Amino acid sequence: MKKTLVVLIIGTSFMLAACGGGKSSDNASAGDPEKLYKQNCSTCHGGNLEGNIGPALNNIGSELSKEDIEKIIAEGKGSMPSGIIKGEDASAVAEWLSEKNNE
């Protein structure tokens, strides 16, 4: 039982660190959705939107609207934690992703 709990805690910590834990204080990326994605999302969703731990996003715009994507960023989904990106940055990333249709 203790081993299971320890593994769960370590796994959760890893997931949180991998999915947005690498937030940068580099303000040069503020508002640049592609840089924000690479800093906060690419570990789980892949550097080229191909998917990894999380689902592929290279065609997400044909499945979800900007508003739907923004809601997922804000609230999380499945093992994705909520609020990885916030405010105007979340809106910019959601808009950028909503334009992805089999590029």
Side-chain angles (χ1 to χ4, degrees):
M1 177 76 170
K2 277 188 174 181
K3 283 185 180 182
T4 304
L5 183 58
V6 170
V7 170
L8 180 62
I9 291 170
I10 291 171
T12 302
S13 298
F14 171 75
M15 182 63 96
L16 289 174
C19 295
K23 294 205 189 283
S24 171
S25 60
D26 178 11
N27 288 333
S29 66
D32 182 336
E34 189 169 0
K35 285 185 180 178
L36 288 163
Y37 170 85
K38 288 193 183 285
Q39 290 177 342
N40 298 286
C41 312
S42 64
T43 301
C44 294
H45 294 286
N48 296 311
L49 308 169
E50 74 277 12
N52 190 3
I53 297 168
L57 301 176
N58 55 347
N59 192 34
I60 197 68
S62 66
E63 300 169 23
L64 298 173
S65 68
K66 174 190 178 275
E67 292 76 19
D68 293 335
I69 296 168
E70 197 165 358
K71 182 177 179 182
I72 291 171
I73 292 171
E75 298 177 3
K77 184 173 181 180
S79 61
M80 178 181 156
S82 63
I84 292 172
I85 306 171
K86 297 179 181 180
E88 290 179 19
D89 289 343
S91 183
V93 171
E95 183 172 356
W96 179 72
L97 288 172
S98 72
E99 296 168 356
K100 304 300 175 196
N101 295 304
N102 279 332
E103 293 183 349

